Amino acid sequence: VIFLVDLLYWRDLQRTGVVFGASLFLLLSLSVCSIISVISYVALALLSVTISFRIYKGILQAVQKSEDGHPFKMYLDKDIGISSELVHKYSDTTLAHINCVIKELRRLFLVEDLVDSLKFAVLMWILTYVGALFNGLTLLILGLIGTFSWPVIYEKHQAQIDHYYGLVNKQIKDVLGKIQAKIPGAKPKTE
């Protein structure tokens, strides 16, 4: 978690730049080529680097007549298997989230609370327009850029952002209160 926070707040510029650049490059590549092509090209590039390095080290060992061995021996000896405890931990967490989403969707689609179902309908209606403007990959690219830029912007301008967020939030609550007052049978939620 600390590593992720350091990445998002650009505390280590070199590491964050590599992660952000590689992620953005991958998403932009996916917008141009199919996922199969992108995976193949990335695998070929990685293989080209590792094969070239192995041949270089082999020639260097032959010229220097050293017995250094395989250049990737340290990585080949490491155990990279995923433990069953880790799989169970994350699958249990994932299952809990999936069940929560299913219960919420059931509640929304079967109109347990009219106001919440109407809010969900408005959200889906807005998303139809978002979907017409952007495809999923474009949203992922915008999300990645936002993920790496928003924490720094918020950290620098927190007071102003919180002030305007409070104003907008108050306006939205006022409008929702007025709408709920006009809908018969809708009860305003207490916080």
Side-chain angles (χ1 to χ4, degrees):
V1 175
I2 293 171
F3 173 72
L4 185 62
V5 170
D6 288 345
L7 270 180
L8 295 179
Y9 281 95
W10 293 77
R11 304 253 160 73
D12 183 359
L13 288 177
Q14 186 176 12
R15 183 174 288 164
T16 301
V18 168
V19 170
F20 176 65
S23 303
L24 188 60
F25 178 74
L26 178 68
L27 289 175
L28 290 173
S29 298
L30 285 172
S31 68
V32 175
C33 302
S34 72
I35 191 164
I36 295 171
S37 297
V38 170
I39 291 172
S40 299
Y41 284 131
V42 168
L44 280 173
L46 185 61
L47 275 172
S48 299
V49 169
T50 55
I51 290 171
S52 300
F53 186 70
R54 172 80 194 272
I55 292 171
Y56 167 74
K57 282 297 208 176
I59 292 171
L60 201 61
Q61 288 172 6
V63 169
Q64 294 177 347
K65 296 182 179 150
S66 66
E67 295 293 326
D68 289 340
H70 197 287
F72 299 117
K73 179 97 171 111
M74 177 177 67
Y75 300 110
L76 290 171
D77 291 341
K78 280 190 176 182
D79 181 28
I80 59 168
I82 299 172
S83 68
S84 60
E85 293 84 23
L86 188 67
V87 170
H88 287 300
K89 174 186 168 189
Y90 285 111
S91 64
D92 290 343
T93 305
T94 303
L95 182 63
H97 287 299
I98 289 172
N99 285 335
C100 183
V101 167
I102 289 172
K103 286 178 185 176
E104 185 65 19
L105 288 175
R106 179 185 66 184
R107 190 181 77 76
L108 290 170
F109 279 107
L110 297 180
V111 194
E112 182 179 308
D113 182 8
L114 179 63
V115 174
D116 285 346
S117 293
L118 287 173
K119 287 179 192 176
F120 184 67
V122 169
L123 175 66
M124 292 299 106
W125 178 68
I126 290 170
L127 287 179
T128 62
Y129 286 102
V130 171
L133 295 172
F134 304 106
N135 65 18
L137 198 53
T138 305
L139 290 175
L140 280 176
I141 292 169
L142 292 173
L144 179 73
I145 292 170
T147 300
F148 278 90
S149 60
W150 176 249
V152 176
I153 292 170
Y154 183 73
E155 189 175 53
K156 289 182 180 177
H157 305 287
Q158 184 175 0
Q160 296 95 332
I161 292 172
D162 287 345
H163 172 71
Y164 287 113
Y165 174 75
L167 292 175
V168 169
N169 199 18
K170 183 182 179 303
Q171 290 291 328
I172 289 173
K173 284 183 180 179
D174 290 344
V175 169
L176 287 177
K178 289 177 183 176
I179 291 172
Q180 284 179 342
K182 295 191 186 248
I183 295 176
K187 296 177 268 179
K189 291 187 177 180
T190 58
E191 293 181 24

